[in-house]
């Protein structure tokens, strides 16, 4: 089902007309009501009336997470506190959280965006949606919730954790749509298998997974083990929360809600736009938000976009999965390493390794140390040192070909690494540089 | 004539070995023979027990990678050269021995040696034909 065909399948020219109109409006709103941004515009010598085409957006200054830190807690809000009905927060760089305020209209918009995403995963009014994202300041839980409620689904607000209870509700309430982080989906799959449950004992048909980067390998694993079709959902609390974009059945990138978000992809060093299909930093302008509008917000997420229409019928801009964050990027012995690249390699050893892994980066004798600890797959038969040595050599070779550097590999028995109930902690960097 | 040996993967920590032996002891699993193959950062524990399927189930239940491997156990007279005789017989037939280890407790004046070979069935025939005493699982 397409939730809002009039918008999601509109001609590009129609979408661009809406975008320009709304862009002008949000720039005027920020100029009038968001003082830190007005100061940036004044410093750049740009006025709201300078925005006459979508391309004019490049005249506007950027907003970064540092602006949120400097204007903590509510300096970036653009309406009277009287009109704010909800806050969410995510961790910031300085130890103080980034706090977003939502008006009633903002929540309405959020529900609309998430409803479109849930529809992409096959949800409708008859669906039973189990929300296993954390509820609270984190946007995952209440974000998925508001969309499912808007659609008219039966929502089970489980929040994250309490895995046995999740499985009980999943069976007894016949949950068909699951919303959680991909790592928690794997935790649930593992627990289901331990309880002797097969995918056909569950009623799951679709999953909406996000809030952390994941790979095709993880997608296959989740789909196989839970017997559902896995969809990506993307968002960040500064911008709104989950629902900025999501993937349809074509699994051909995530459809962006173009009438609420104008996206650019820029070279993170030069800040110049890169062509469609080329990777760069995603920069988002919220063109429908009142409480905390964000103009040219630098997400730090690396992805690429396309404006080609999708086989599903939607014409909205599509973004690739997020390959990593510019902040997640580890620089090891001078080489850029994203944890997601390591995940891609692990996924190639489907029958021998699990997706439970952790990277340890440290420093010894002025040299970076880099270690991958990964759990072996259940059911392996290991009687031979040579078998393990050969497996380690294979993993090392694949890692070198993708990362360009080698890494010490430590294989572990299943269940050894700590399990996550939310975002998995994949990297431990003990270098004090 | 095959002996079913239990092999367990160990991250190379002393604590893990203690954990496994304690786990087996708590479940009344008696170790008839044991060896550890080690490298700098991992090891493989090999044990012979009365009920290998049960031992594997116990270990897997605790998350260990555990499996069963067929091995051959031979009895040697406790005199110099007994082991060399067996190896010579196998070498003559072109049989590769992956690893060997001896028992913890054995009958008086004899030693039990466990052999892991590529084709245990063939090895049993060869050793039997050469008069080497082979243990049955029930004799351990
Ligand atoms: Zn599509």
């Amino acid at each position: 089902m397409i939730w809002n065909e009039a918008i999601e399948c509109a001609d590009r020219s129609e979408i661009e007309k809406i975008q320009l109109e709304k862009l002008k409006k949000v720039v005027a709103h920020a100029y009038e009501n968001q003082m830190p941004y007005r100061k940036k515009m004044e410093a750049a010598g740009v006025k709201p009336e300078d925005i006459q085409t979508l391309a004019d957006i490049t005249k506007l200054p950027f907003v970064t997470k540092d602006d949120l830190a400097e204007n903590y807690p509510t300096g970036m809000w653009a309406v009277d506190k009287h009109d704010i009905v909800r806050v969410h927060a995510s961790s910031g760089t300085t130890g103080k959280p980034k706090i977003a305020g939502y008006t009633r209209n903002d929540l309405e918009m959020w529900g609309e965006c998430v409803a479109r995403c849930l529809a992409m995963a096959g949800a409708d009014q008859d669906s039973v949606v189990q929300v296993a994202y954390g509820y609270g300041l984190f946007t995952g839980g209440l974000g998925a919730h508001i969309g499912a409620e808007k659609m008219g689904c039966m929502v089970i607000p489980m929040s994250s954790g309490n895995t046995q209870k999740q499985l009980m509700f999943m069976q007894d309430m016949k949950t068909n749509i699951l919303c959680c982080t991909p790592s928690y989906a794997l935790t649930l799959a593992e627990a289901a298998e331990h309880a002797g449950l097969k995918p056909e004992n569950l009623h799951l048909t679709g999953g909406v997974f996000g809030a952390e980067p994941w790979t095709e390998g993880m997608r296959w694993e989740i789909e196989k083990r839970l017997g559902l079709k896995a969809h990506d959902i993307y968002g960040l609390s500064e911008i709104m929360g989950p629902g900025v974009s999501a993937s349809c059945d074509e699994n051909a990138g995530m459809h962006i809600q173009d009438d609420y978000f104008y996206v650019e992809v820029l070279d993170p060093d030069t800040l110049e736009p890169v062509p469609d299909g080329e990777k760069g930093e995603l920069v988002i302008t919220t063109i429908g938000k009142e409480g905390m509008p964000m103009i040219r917000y630098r997400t730090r997420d690396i992805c690429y976009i396309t404006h080609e229409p999708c086989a599903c019928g939607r014409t909205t801009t599509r973004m690739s999965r997020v390959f990593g964050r510019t902040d997640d990027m580890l620089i090891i012995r001078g080489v850029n390493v994203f944890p997601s690249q390591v995940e891609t390699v692990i996924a190639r050893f489907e029958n021998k390794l699990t997706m439970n892994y952790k990277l340890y980066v440290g420093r010894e004798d002025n040299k970076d140390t880099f270690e991958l600890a990964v759990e072996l797959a259940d059911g392996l038969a290991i009687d031979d040192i040579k078998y393990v040595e050969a497996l380690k050599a294979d993993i090392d070779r694949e890692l070198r070909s993708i990362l360009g550097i080698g890494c010490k590999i430590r294989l572990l028995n299943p269940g050894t690494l700590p399990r996550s109930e939310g975002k998995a902690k994949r990297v431990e960097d003990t270098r004090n540089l | 004539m095959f002996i079913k040996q239990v092999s367990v993967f160990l991250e190379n920590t002393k604590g893990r070995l203690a954990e496994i032996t304690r786990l087996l002891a708590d479940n009344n699993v008696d170790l008839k023979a044991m060896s550890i193959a080690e490298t700098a950062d991992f090891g493989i524990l090999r044990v012979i027990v009365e009920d290998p399927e049960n031992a594997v189930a116990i270990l897997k239940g605790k998350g260990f990678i555990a499996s069963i491997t067929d091995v051959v156990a031979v009895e040697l007279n406790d005199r110099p050269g007994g082991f060399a005789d067996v190896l010579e017989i196998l070498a003559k037939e072109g049989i590769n021995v992956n690893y060997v280890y001896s028992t913890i407790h054995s009958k008086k004046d004899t030693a039990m040696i466990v052999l892991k070979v590529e084709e245990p069935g063939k090895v049993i025939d060869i050793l039997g034909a050469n008069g080497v005493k082979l243990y049955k699982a029930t004799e351990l």
Side-chain angles (χ1 to χ4, degrees):
Chain A
M1 175 181 61
I2 295 176
W3 179 252
N4 190 335
E5 220 172 310
I7 292 287
E8 293 177 84
C9 304
D11 283 344
R12 285 305 308 171
S13 61
E14 177 64 24
I15 293 175
E16 284 166 13
K17 218 178 96 192
I18 296 169
Q19 287 184 320
L20 178 59
E21 203 175 295
K22 292 178 84 173
L23 175 64
K24 286 180 179 174
K25 229 164 115 181
V26 77
V27 172
H29 173 48
Y31 191 74
E32 292 305 323
N33 302 302
Q34 195 176 36
M35 284 313 107
Y37 198 70
R38 183 184 182 119
K39 282 184 213 149
K40 277 177 184 267
M41 283 177 71
E42 285 171 355
V46 50
K47 288 227 150 64
E49 50 270 31
D50 294 329
I51 307 303
Q52 291 304 322
T53 67
L54 283 174
D56 287 336
I57 197 168
T58 57
K59 295 175 183 168
L60 291 164
F62 294 103
V63 174
T64 68
K65 56 186 177 169
D66 295 337
D67 292 301
L68 287 156
E70 278 161 34
N71 295 288
Y72 177 85
T74 60
M76 292 299 283
W77 292 8
V79 297
D80 195 285
K81 279 181 192 157
H82 172 81
D83 295 316
I84 296 290
V85 298
R86 169 91 70 81
V87 294
H88 280 285
S90 57
S91 49
T93 38
T94 57
K96 291 271 170 75
K98 301 185 286 260
I99 301 182
Y102 301 71
T103 65
R104 201 169 290 286
N105 284 337
D106 291 342
L107 291 184
E108 179 57 33
M109 152 191 162
W110 194 5
E112 166 70 19
C113 290
V114 175
R116 290 181 197 173
C117 299
L118 289 169
M120 288 181 215
D124 59 26
Q125 280 90 332
D126 297 321
S127 293
V128 179
V129 178
Q130 187 157 331
V131 180
Y133 285 113
Y135 277 64
L137 287 173
F138 171 54
T139 50
L142 284 158
H145 187 109
I146 201 171
E149 219 168 61
K150 161 110 186 168
M151 182 176 268
C153 310
M154 184 199 295
V155 193
I156 309 180
M158 294 296 299
S159 197
S160 61
N162 219 336
T163 305
Q164 295 308 320
K165 203 171 186 179
Q166 300 269 6
L167 291 177
M168 183 177 84
F169 272 80
M170 226 176 251
Q171 294 169 82
D172 296 348
M173 298 305 290
K174 300 190 167 41
T175 300
N176 66 320
I177 305 286
L178 173 66
C179 303
C180 61
T181 60
S183 50
Y184 192 54
L186 285 173
T187 303
L188 284 167
E190 195 175 61
E193 284 155 15
H194 270 280
L197 291 170
K198 298 209 159 57
E200 53 271 27
N201 302 131
L202 300 170
H203 309 270
L204 297 169
T205 56
V208 181
F209 306 122
E212 64 185 10
W214 51 310
T215 58
E216 277 304 302
M218 275 174 95
R219 177 200 300 279
W220 295 326
E221 198 176 333
I222 293 169
E223 291 189 337
K224 187 179 69 190
R225 294 172 71 181
L226 285 176
L228 49 68
K229 179 127 177 67
H231 295 257
D232 269 341
I233 189 164
Y234 174 78
L236 54 175
S237 68
E238 304 93 292
I239 291 298
M240 178 179 79
V244 171
S245 63
S247 64
C248 66
D249 275 337
E250 302 295 324
N251 186 19
M254 295 183 274
H255 288 277
I256 294 164
Q257 317 310 339
D258 277 338
D259 51 333
Y260 293 113
F261 309 100
Y262 182 81
V263 298
E264 303 165 81
V265 176
L266 308 179
D267 179 316
D269 296 323
T270 64
L271 297 175
E272 291 298 320
V274 299
D276 275 17
E278 224 166 85
K279 279 185 208 171
E281 180 179 340
L282 182 70
V283 172
I284 303 180
T285 299
T286 62
I287 52 176
K289 221 165 72 155
E290 301 172 336
M292 191 168 81
M294 285 280 120
I295 295 170
R296 302 197 85 197
Y297 183 71
R298 293 187 56 185
T299 63
R300 310 277 165 183
D301 286 336
I302 304 288
C303 70
Y304 61 84
I305 57 171
T306 172
H307 291 86
E308 291 297 314
C310 181
C312 72
R314 293 178 183 84
T315 52
T316 42
T317 312
R318 276 173 291 151
M319 61 184 273
S320 66
R321 67 173 55 251
V322 172
F323 294 96
R325 288 176 68 88
T326 53
D327 345 319
D328 275 352
M329 191 177 78
L330 295 160
I331 301 178
I332 301 166
R333 289 169 225 146
V335 177
N336 296 349
V337 172
F338 290 103
S340 57
Q341 295 174 300
V342 176
E343 235 162 77
T344 307
V345 171
I346 295 173
R348 290 184 190 166
F349 294 87
E350 247 219 283
N351 299 317
K352 295 181 177 165
L353 303 178
T354 66
M355 297 311 288
N356 294 309
Y357 75 96
K358 194 157 178 179
L359 297 171
Y360 297 89
V361 188
R363 208 154 165 84
E364 256 168 46
D365 304 329
N366 287 319
K367 272 189 7 228
D368 290 337
T369 58
F370 181 30
E371 185 181 47
L372 164 67
V374 58
E375 288 180 11
L376 292 160
D378 245 332
L380 271 187
I382 297 180
D383 174 50
D384 201 352
I385 296 281
K386 271 184 273 173
Y387 173 91
V388 182
E389 298 285 17
L391 176 58
K392 285 170 70 171
D394 287 346
I395 301 167
D396 185 58
R397 184 167 5 86
E398 296 278 316
L399 280 172
R400 271 173 206 279
S401 78
I402 286 210
L403 304 178
I405 58 167
C407 139
K408 183 168 187 274
I409 294 154
R410 192 152 50 95
L411 300 175
L412 303 171
N413 275 301
T416 323
L417 288 168
R419 288 299 184 265
S420 84
E421 294 191 337
K423 293 192 189 200
K425 261 228 164 320
R426 299 298 197 187
V427 181
E428 195 173 300
D429 190 344
T430 50
R431 294 175 296 182
N432 288 313
L433 296 178
Chain B
M1 297 293 234
F2 300 121
I3 306 290
K4 294 196 178 301
Q5 169 196 275
V6 176
S7 308
V8 195
F9 177 80
L10 285 182
E11 305 90 351
N12 205 26
T13 54
K14 288 190 178 123
R16 289 296 257 179
L17 183 58
E19 202 184 314
I20 289 192
T21 42
R22 171 62 55 205
L23 173 68
L24 293 175
D26 286 351
N27 285 279
N28 295 317
V29 177
D30 189 22
L31 303 182
K32 309 269 181 207
M34 175 174 92
S35 87
I36 301 170
E38 276 186 294
T39 70
D41 51 25
F42 70 92
I44 293 164
L45 171 70
R46 298 169 181 134
V47 293
I48 292 183
V49 298
E50 204 162 282
D51 184 352
E53 274 84 11
N54 178 46
V56 165
I58 292 166
L59 289 162
K60 280 189 166 180
K62 289 286 174 194
F64 287 100
I65 297 280
S67 57
I68 288 176
T69 307
D70 289 333
V71 293
V72 177
V74 301
E75 185 182 284
L76 298 178
N77 293 319
D78 199 11
R79 57 158 180 89
F83 184 42
D85 293 347
V86 171
L87 291 182
E88 271 167 22
I89 295 165
L90 295 176
K92 223 189 290 167
E93 299 286 338
I95 303 281
N96 246 340
V97 179
N98 299 107
Y99 55 77
V100 291
Y101 57 94
S102 62
T103 51
I104 299 171
H105 53 79
S106 54
K107 279 192 284 179
K108 211 172 178 343
D109 295 332
T110 62
M112 183 178 89
I113 301 279
V114 177
L115 293 157
K116 164 71 173 50
V117 290
E118 293 304 337
E119 296 168 86
K122 190 173 162 190
V123 167
I124 285 168
D125 288 348
I126 293 167
L127 293 178
N130 282 276
V132 177
K133 156 93 169 97
L134 294 158
Y135 283 99
K136 295 193 191 93
T138 49
E139 292 174 319
L140 296 175

